[in-house]
Each structure stands twice: as C-alpha cells, then as structure tokens.
Amino acid sequence: MNFMASKQPENSLLGPESDSQRTLYPYVTGTSVVALKYKDGILMAADMGGSYGSTLRYKSVERMKPIGKHSLLGASGEISDFQEILRYLDELILYDNMWDDGNSLGPKEVHNYLTRVMYNRRNKFNPLWNSLVLGGVKNGQKYLGTVSMIGVNFEDNHVATGFGNHLARPILRQEWHENLSFEDGVRLLEKCMRVLLYRDRSAVNKLQIAKITEDGVTISQPYSLKTYWEFSAFENPAQGAIGSW
Amino acid sequence: MPKEQANWSPYDNNGGSCFAVAGADYCVIAADTRMSTGYNILTRDTQKSVNYKCVMASSGFQADVKALQKHLAARHLIYQHQHNKQMSCPAMAQLLSNTLYYKRFFPYYSFNVLGGLDNEGKGCVFTYDAVGSYEKVGYSSQGSGSTLIMPFLDNQLKSPSPLLLPARDAVTPLAEAEAIDLVKTVFASASERDIYTGDKLEIVVINADGIRREYMDLRKD
C-alpha cells in the first residue's frame, strides 16, 4: 500500500539520503597554523602535511594562500573544505574587483565574511571542518583574526589553531611583544613550529613561513627545521627496562 | 539501521561572567574580557559588551553572542531610520527577548544582562536566560561566575520583594562611585575561584552625562 509519501527534493538535508551530503568527519587534514603580529605586518607559519587519518598522505600541501591585496589565509582541518573556502573567496574578490572603484576588501572584511560563512554552515549542521587564521595589513592597520568550524571568532596579537593552541600560544604569551623585528618574529615562529614538530604526531618537517605587509604577501619556499635528537635521556631507551619506556 | 550519532557539537562554552546594577540615576554594567574553551584560554582581550543607549553584556557561546549582537545592531539601525531616535532601554529589552525566543528550538547560547536608564532617567537592569524570558531587576549577574557573584550581591544589595504591595523600588541606594567599587570587588572575588573569569574587567557606566568605559586588571591565572 503506497500512500502519498512526502517526497523530498534531491538536495534536502532531511531523510535517509541526507547524511551522505553532510560533513560528518574530516578525511584529509592539515595540522596547526601559528601567526603573530610584528613591526611591519603579520607572520604566519604552517607545515605542508596533509594527513589521511594516521597516514601522512600528502607532503606538499600549501595551507596558506594570499586573498586579494591585503590578506593572507591559513587553514587547518579538512583540506577539501579549505579549497572550497578558497573558491568562495575567489568569487568574493572577483566581485570586489569588478566594482573597479579603487576600494578593496581589507583583512577585517574578509575575516567577517569567513565568520559568517562558517557560522551559517554550522547553523545548517553541515560545517566546513576548518580552523582559519586570517591576517593582513591595510592602510597601516595590522589585523590578525581566527574563526573555528562552529563560528567562534576573535582577533588578537598572536593566534594558533589545533595543537598550536596548547603548545605555541604559551611560548607566544611569554615572548611576544609589540614591534618585533622580522628576524625576531621568524625566530619566534620557528621556535613554536619546532616544539610542534617534536610533540605533534601529525606535524611534518617541511614548512612555509608567510609574511604580509603593506607592500603585499610573500610566502617562503618550503624548508625544514633543524632538530636535535641526541639528548642522552633518549639514548638507548630500553636500557634498564625491557620493552618501551 | 541504528541512528548515527553526531561527533561534533554546534555549541561551545566560552565562559566569562557579566553583571549589571541599577542606581537612582545611573547604571553600571561589567563583564570580564577572557574567552576560553575547555581548559584553554583563547584570548585575554575580547569585548563582551555592546552599547546603544543601553548596554548589553553577554556570556556563553561567543559565536552566538556575536551573531546576536549583530542582529540587534541591525534592528537598532532600522529603528533609528524609521523613528528618528535611538531605542529606549525597555524597548531594547523587549526586542532582545523576542529575538531570543525566535530561536527557541535552536537557541542562541547567550546569557545576557541589559542595563540602561529608563524614560525617567532612573537606572534599570533586565536579566535574561538563553531563550528570552526576562525580568526587570535591580541587579543581576550571568555567566560562569554568576553562581559566585549572585549570592554576594543578594547579601549587599538586597532588593525588596517584587511581591510587595505597594511596589517598592528595586534600584540600589548606593552612590555611583560605591557601586563601581562593588563591581570591582565582586569580579576580583569571582576571579579567585572561577577559572573562566579573569584577565581584565570592562566596566561601562551610564548616567545623565552619557556612557563611559573603565578597565581594571584581574588575575590572569
């Protein structure tokens, strides 16, 4: 007996077909992004790993991209959702350019747009599984903000996502100060990235550091950090105790 | 087929406390500036209050708080365009209640206090829950520290019962400077025992001269 069953439109989020259309868990993920304000603008660092669960599947993923003339976006979390966000921002910047009115979207505006996108997706129970860092300089004003997958957003002098919140933020709170020079800023970021490399199992030793100033964005070539593994306490770890330590 | 469980929550508690007290010709609204998640501090310097002619301070889930503030800011602007004046405190109080109840079945996880001067220039404070039930009171606190702050306030500012007839005034007889002192004491105490309250205190004072802001450092641990 087939009564007039209510038919869902194909793209509805209700009914048994819906779950395949919503993000339920992330698949290919990027780990922490760390960023800070310095004298001339913003410095941001992220490694180039794309993990597929516990497998290090992709080793050349660029997780930081310039947005328009004044902003730099870094992302952790689901890489495909990051690429989707870049598509949204492409369209946003395109429309902004098409006005051809001498005005251009600054980092505050882009951050606001991203916040609304993330929050609205969360409201529909279909989040973009990312934590985003948005930094930039416009008319001498530096801006650094972050937004999470459920829409929690704020701006600060230094921000980090994921493990960076646990390992990098305390270092930044201790050692960050106003008007850091470029060299000091890079040194501080490298210190944070090194700790993450030692302690975050999804980190890889291939990173980029990006700089954004009034003059524009520069993203460094990928490089590796020097690491030290010769601590005597780690030598011959099984000595005195059979099995692992 | 067993029902699938969600592995993410659309809500988070970013902590913090807020508080307001009404006086004979002033109103003091205060909130701390710490934003946390779990055992982490996200930032020590966020703003939880927003002002029109009255001031709303909120704590809870920051994304919902900011969305709510944006919504009210838009409605307030439309009101100003249509009525050529700013919204009064009782009007804003009703609007906030209606806005919260509109999302009764997917609430704004935002706990608010609204403070300002009524049409006669007397202080008024409105206190809300997350779905919009509200009440005009002499003083109120919301947020993670409210369980610590409210009993102390009840002791210091005891309002006459709203059930009495004839109705008695709920506003405190304290002077403005004494009220501000009380606010500072209250938050300093709350920071001692509530892990989500601390860093910095933002105090907003509304009186006949206008609105002014003050800051005070709190414990950073």
Side-chain angles (χ1 to χ4, degrees):
Chain A
M1 286 232 250
N2 197 6
F3 296 97
M4 295 254 271
S6 68
K7 239 173 77 156
Q8 309 283 1
E10 258 172 38
N11 57 353
S12 151
L13 283 173
L14 300 168
E17 301 295 302
S18 67
D19 278 348
S20 61
Q21 295 189 42
R22 281 189 243 199
T23 304
L24 295 171
Y25 3 78
Y27 285 91
V28 180
T29 55
T31 184
S32 329
V33 178
V34 189
L36 48 80
K37 280 190 195 165
Y38 78 109
K39 187 160 58 87
D40 306 323
I42 312 290
L43 281 168
M44 197 184 292
D47 69 23
M48 299 192 76
S51 307
Y52 185 63
S54 51
T55 312
L56 210 210
R57 174 71 183 82
Y58 301 103
K59 295 196 269 192
S60 296
V61 180
E62 285 198 25
R63 296 193 292 116
M64 295 183 294
K65 293 284 183 188
I67 309 293
K69 281 201 292 253
H70 304 283
S71 319
L72 177 63
L73 173 65
S76 69
E78 173 63 59
I79 299 295
S80 63
D81 281 347
F82 174 51
Q83 291 171 341
E84 183 80 352
I85 290 169
L86 291 176
R87 271 190 285 275
Y88 287 151
L89 288 172
D90 257 346
E91 202 183 318
L92 182 77
I93 300 295
L94 180 70
Y95 276 98
D96 186 42
N97 290 342
M98 287 298 104
W99 284 107
D100 197 20
D101 58 1
N103 218 335
S104 51
L105 289 172
K108 268 201 221 291
E109 289 86 60
V110 177
H111 185 229
N112 186 57
Y113 174 80
L114 287 171
T115 302
R116 298 262 60 74
V117 168
M118 300 303 270
Y119 185 70
N120 279 307
R121 289 288 295 254
R122 164 260 186 199
N123 282 349
K124 296 197 280 207
F125 275 84
N126 186 17
L128 288 160
W129 208 289
N130 294 109
S131 289
L132 305 171
V133 173
L134 198 296
V137 195
K138 191 174 173 201
N139 298 334
Q141 292 269 47
K142 301 187 280 254
Y143 183 87
L144 181 58
T146 181
V147 56
S148 78
M149 71 183 247
I150 50 173
V152 174
N153 65 299
F154 59 93
E155 48 158 327
D156 209 339
N157 294 317
H158 46 78
V159 297
T161 68
F163 263 99
N165 265 316
H166 293 95
L167 298 171
R169 284 312 277 296
I171 300 176
L172 292 166
R173 287 205 176 103
Q174 186 82 326
E175 301 191 17
W176 184 90
H177 56 86
E178 292 270 9
N179 292 319
L180 277 166
S181 70
F182 175 73
E183 291 78 22
D184 281 342
V186 172
R187 201 171 305 133
L188 188 48
L189 272 184
E190 286 189 345
K191 185 173 185 180
C192 295
M193 297 303 282
R194 186 170 289 110
V195 172
L196 286 166
L197 184 58
Y198 283 135
R199 292 293 177 178
D200 176 7
R201 78 161 188 175
S202 33
V204 301
N205 197 2
K206 184 178 174 194
L207 69 145
Q208 294 177 300
I209 294 200
K211 162 179 91 140
I212 178 165
T213 64
E214 194 75 59
D215 304 323
V217 175
T218 330
I219 303 183
S220 75
Q221 284 293 93
Y223 70 102
S224 312
L225 294 171
K226 284 203 182 45
T227 54
Y228 182 70
W229 300 95
E230 308 312 314
F231 289 105
S232 60
F234 294 155
E235 266 174 49
N236 199 7
Q239 180 182 53
I242 308 161
S244 67
W245 65 286
Chain B
M1 203 173 88
K3 189 173 179 187
E4 215 175 298
Q5 294 293 328
N7 44 14
W8 66 281
S9 166
Y11 291 113
D12 189 15
N13 189 355
N14 300 122
S17 318
C18 52
F19 151 62
V21 60
D25 59 351
Y26 66 89
C27 188
V28 181
I29 301 97
D32 70 332
T33 62
R34 173 179 286 178
M35 192 163 128
S36 345
T37 176
Y39 283 117
N40 288 8
I41 295 177
L42 291 173
T43 179
R44 298 188 190 275
D45 202 7
T46 181
Q47 205 178 46
K48 293 184 189 155
S49 69
V50 108
N51 47 333
Y52 315 105
K53 207 164 149 194
C54 43
V55 175
M56 176 176 93
S58 323
S59 81
F61 174 44
Q62 266 318 91
D64 274 350
V65 164
K66 293 229 172 86
L68 180 64
Q69 289 174 348
K70 230 178 203 275
H71 187 114
L72 290 174
R75 290 297 299 269
H76 188 236
L77 191 60
I78 293 170
Y79 182 98
Q80 287 182 292
H81 288 155
Q82 291 176 339
H83 301 270
N84 198 20
K85 64 174 179 176
Q86 289 202 300
M87 276 180 87
S88 67
C89 197
M92 184 56 97
Q94 186 69 56
L95 177 64
L96 176 54
S97 171
N98 292 152
T99 308
L100 289 168
Y101 196 79
Y102 206 77
K103 291 241 299 159
R104 170 66 177 79
F105 299 108
F106 186 16
Y108 287 113
Y109 191 83
S110 166
F111 298 94
N112 314 293
V113 291
L114 184 74
L117 303 175
D118 65 15
N119 300 321
E120 296 153 23
K122 228 166 41 177
C124 61
V125 168
F126 297 90
T127 184
Y128 295 79
D129 73 356
V131 287
S133 64
Y134 79 115
E135 188 188 1
K136 179 158 183 273
V137 287
Y139 59 90
S140 176
S141 74
Q142 293 283 354
S144 57
S146 67
T147 46
L148 298 167
I149 296 175
M150 215 44 187
F152 179 68
L153 258 32
D154 287 335
N155 177 274
Q156 297 292 308
L157 298 175
K158 184 95 181 135
S159 273
S161 168
L163 300 168
L164 286 172
L165 283 175
R168 304 253 174 99
D169 225 352
V171 297
T172 176
L174 285 176
E176 188 183 299
E178 290 176 309
I180 294 176
D181 224 31
L182 180 71
V183 172
K184 293 182 179 174
T185 312
V186 144
F187 266 88
S189 309
S191 311
E192 294 286 317
R193 291 291 180 177
D194 177 23
I195 60 173
Y196 296 111
T197 302
D199 289 328
K200 215 161 60 167
L201 174 64
E202 186 194 8
I203 307 173
V204 184
V205 184
I206 307 179
N207 54 25
D209 304 325
I211 303 183
R212 74 165 201 281
R213 262 198 168 96
E214 254 184 67
Y215 291 93
M216 183 184 97
D217 272 345
L218 295 171
R219 286 188 71 127
K220 296 190 181 335
D221 63 358

